[in-house]
Structures are given as structure tokens and as C-alpha cells.
């Protein structure tokens, strides 16, 4: 199939944009089942290739519809080995958010980046709605990674694939999010923007406070912005916020809102 090239800061990567073409699907299935992903023992390259070549896997979600009767018809499978693989697939239905995110094979999303994302998003649904601008506010997430994530979830076939997996009984826990100490998420779903010079915090410190309590920080003001925090010498964002009715907070207001001393 035709390939495309994406350029990162370190290297160029050539890949096929059609995730369901046979060559791409074979590689994706092997990656999906890897130890860092869904950890499906017995799903090596040979087996992944065979399942695709025999038409049993046309989409990653098809993995969760495989049956023992189908496998034992394939070369290399006996009753016991077929049952073992199906058991492994069933066991993989219970996973963590970071493992699932890594398993999806989104370009540039390795295990470390998947962990970082899991620390900042509760579940796949909230991540799927994130904008590139929002993602770039997270430490370690640059514009290239942010673009790959949003591009993945913009593709209807990918959203359908994830939905099929969840409907097949996939249970995704996210211990990384809880370990971030986000027990009090009273700002969850709220979007903040900042303008002017802050006296009590650096701009980055203020952003981290918002994120700690589940909020999001954007660089511009829009109809989706809940609060604009205004410091000394504010820019044009203040007038825009007034024009569209966004709630404006000074530093003292912001401090009271987050309960920070």
C-alpha cells in the first residue's frame, strides 16, 4: 500500500496511513498484543500474520470475537493451543489506560508518553475530546505528539474500533490518574486562560495548579473558556472575555477558587 512519512525532531518514520491494510494490520496486531500493550501471550508475529492472512482479523477489535473453533482450523493450532490463546485474549479484557493507549499503536506514543497521558486524562473518552492546544499544555507532550493523538481520534474508523472493543467487554482501569493525587477534581471540565503578569505564581505554576485539580488551560479565550485569570498589564484577552461573557478572575479570586495559600 502507499506510505507516508512523518518527521519528528530525531528521525523520519515511514508508515502506511491505512491501519486496516494487511501489512499494517499485521504489525498493529503484534504491537497490540505486546507485553507493554495488552500482554497477550502466544500472539507472536507468526500468529498475528496468520490471523490476518486467513481473514479472521480485519480490524483490531475482531480479536475479541475470535473463537476456539476458528483457531483449530489453522495450521499450527491444536485444541489446547487454541484454548490457551483465547484465554489469553479474554484475560487482556482487563487492562490499564496507559497499556491500552500504547497498544493502539498511535505514532510516537511509547510507554512513557502513554503513562504521562494517563496521568492527565481519566479515560479514553476524555482523551478523545482533547484538542491539540489542550494536549500541548502537558509537560512532555509537544505539537507532534498532540497532532498524532487528535488525528487518531478524528478518524471515524478508529473511534468505531475502540467502541467495539469496549462493547466486547474491555475494562480499562487508570491507576496512574489516581496516583497523581487527583482526589479532589473540583475543576474537572473547566477551562482556564491567563493574561497579564501574575505576582503570586509564574504562569507555569498557575497552569499546574489548574491541572492538579482536573482543569485545563488554553492559550486563547473562546466560548468554551470558563475563567480568564487576569494579572498586571493584561492583553486583548480581557476585552474578548468581557465581550463573550467569560468570568474574569483577579489573582485573589483565583487563589480563593483553588484554595491555595
Amino acid at each position: 500500500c502507499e506510505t507516508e512519512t512523518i518527521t519528528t525532531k530525531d528521525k523520519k518514520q515511514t508508515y502506511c496511513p491505512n491501519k486496516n491494510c494487511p501489512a499494517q494490520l499485521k504489525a498493529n496486531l503484534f504491537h497490540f498484543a505486546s507485553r507493554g500493550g495488552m500482554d497477550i501471550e502466544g500472539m507472536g508475529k507468526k500468529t498475528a500474520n496468520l490471523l490476518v492472512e486467513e481473514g479472521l482479523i480485519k480490524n483490531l477489535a475482531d480479536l475479541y470475537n475470535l473463537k476456539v473453533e476458528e483457531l483449530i482450523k489453522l495450521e499450527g493450532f491444536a485444541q489446547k493451543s487454541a484454548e490457551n490463546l483465547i484465554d489469553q485474549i479474554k484475560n487482556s479484557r482487563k487492562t490499564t489506560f496507559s497499556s491500552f493507549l500504547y497498544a493502539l499503536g498511535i505514532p510516537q506514543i511509547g510507554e512513557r508518553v502513554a503513562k504521562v497521558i494517563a496521568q492527565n486524562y481519566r479515560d479514553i473518552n476524555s482523551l478523545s475530546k482533547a484538542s491539540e492546544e489542550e494536549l500541548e499544555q502537558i509537560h512532555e507532550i509537544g505539537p507532534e505528539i498532540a497532532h498524532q493523538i487528535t488525528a487518531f481520534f478524528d478518524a471515524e474508523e478508529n473511534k468505531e474500533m475502540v467502541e467495539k472493543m469496549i462493547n466486547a467487554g474491555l475494562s480499562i482501569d487508570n491507576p496512574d490518574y489516581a496516583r497523581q493525587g487527583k482526589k479532589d477534581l473540583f475543576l474537572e471540565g473547566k477551562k482556564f486562560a491567563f493574561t497579564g503578569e501574575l505576582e503570586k505564581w509564574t504562569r507555569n505554576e498557575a497552569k499546574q495548579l489548574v491541572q492538579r485539580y482536573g482543569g485545563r488551560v488554553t492559550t486563547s479565550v473562546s466560548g468554551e473558556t470558563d475563567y480568564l485569570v487576569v494579572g498586571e498589564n493584561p492583553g486583548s484577552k480581557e476585552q474578548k472575555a468581557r465581550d463573550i461573557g467569560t468570568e474574569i478572575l483577579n489573582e485573589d479570586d483565583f487563589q480563593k477558587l483553588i484554595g491555595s495559600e
Side-chain angles (χ1 to χ4, degrees):
C1 61
E2 294 183 2
T3 60
E4 293 182 3
T5 300
I6 56 174
T7 304
T8 67
K9 292 178 181 178
D10 302 316
K11 59 184 178 180
K12 290 185 177 181
Q13 293 176 302
T14 301
Y15 75 107
C16 171
N18 179 8
K19 288 186 174 293
N20 292 325
C21 82
Q24 182 81 334
L25 186 54
K26 290 174 183 178
N28 285 343
L29 180 56
F30 176 67
H31 176 81
F32 185 80
S34 66
R35 183 169 295 180
M38 304 303 279
D39 195 17
I40 302 174
E41 189 176 340
M43 184 64 73
K45 286 185 179 181
K46 183 178 179 180
T47 299
N49 291 349
L50 183 62
L51 291 174
V52 173
E53 288 167 1
E54 293 296 328
L56 293 180
I57 301 291
K58 297 178 181 177
N59 178 292
L60 288 179
D62 292 338
L63 186 65
Y64 293 100
N65 294 319
L66 279 178
K67 297 177 177 60
V68 170
E69 309 87 77
E70 295 174 318
L71 291 178
I72 59 177
K73 295 177 183 178
L74 304 181
E75 182 181 352
F77 277 95
Q79 183 73 28
K80 187 61 177 177
S81 57
E83 289 176 353
N84 287 342
L85 181 56
I86 293 299
D87 285 342
Q88 284 291 319
I89 293 170
K90 286 180 179 178
N91 292 340
S92 78
R93 281 190 171 97
K94 188 171 183 179
T95 188
T96 64
F97 185 32
S98 61
S99 294
F100 181 60
L101 189 57
Y102 171 75
L104 288 175
I106 302 172
Q108 302 186 54
I109 306 299
E111 292 183 60
R112 168 60 189 166
V113 172
K115 281 276 186 185
V116 170
I117 293 169
Q119 289 168 356
N120 286 273
Y121 287 89
R122 183 189 295 274
D123 51 36
I124 199 76
N125 184 54
S126 59
L127 177 60
S128 69
K129 297 175 181 177
S131 65
E132 288 188 36
E133 180 185 57
E134 181 179 308
L135 287 161
E136 286 177 38
Q137 301 302 314
I138 300 171
H139 181 59
E140 296 188 49
I141 305 298
E144 295 158 357
I145 295 175
H147 174 70
Q148 292 296 338
I149 293 170
T150 56
F152 179 86
F153 288 107
D154 282 344
E156 198 61 38
E157 63 269 23
N158 292 333
K159 288 188 284 190
E160 290 176 359
M161 177 184 71
V162 171
E163 185 177 355
K164 284 181 181 178
M165 289 182 187
I166 293 173
N167 290 339
L170 205 65
S171 175
I172 306 172
D173 188 26
N174 191 356
D176 296 298
Y177 192 78
R179 279 200 287 266
Q180 280 294 92
K182 298 185 178 182
K183 297 176 182 177
D184 192 352
L185 301 173
F186 61 92
L187 295 182
E188 188 166 25
K190 300 296 183 182
K191 291 188 177 182
F192 287 72
F194 291 85
T195 185
E197 300 171 8
L198 303 178
E199 293 183 0
K200 297 179 180 179
W201 308 274
T202 65
R203 184 68 65 85
N204 191 50
E205 287 171 343
K207 288 179 181 179
Q208 289 177 357
L209 281 173
V210 171
Q211 292 170 349
R212 180 187 304 170
Y213 298 114
R216 302 291 172 199
V217 178
T218 60
T219 57
S220 59
V221 173
S222 71
E224 295 183 350
T225 307
D226 296 286
Y227 301 102
L228 175 67
V229 181
V230 177
E232 293 292 325
N233 303 313
S236 59
K237 291 179 188 177
E238 183 178 18
Q239 185 57 53
K240 183 172 182 179
R242 295 187 188 281
D243 291 342
I244 63 178
T246 299
E247 186 169 352
I248 296 175
L249 308 176
N250 60 31
E251 284 193 68
D252 290 337
D253 296 330
F254 178 61
Q255 186 171 9
K256 290 176 183 177
L257 179 66
I258 61 175
S260 175
E261 298 184 2

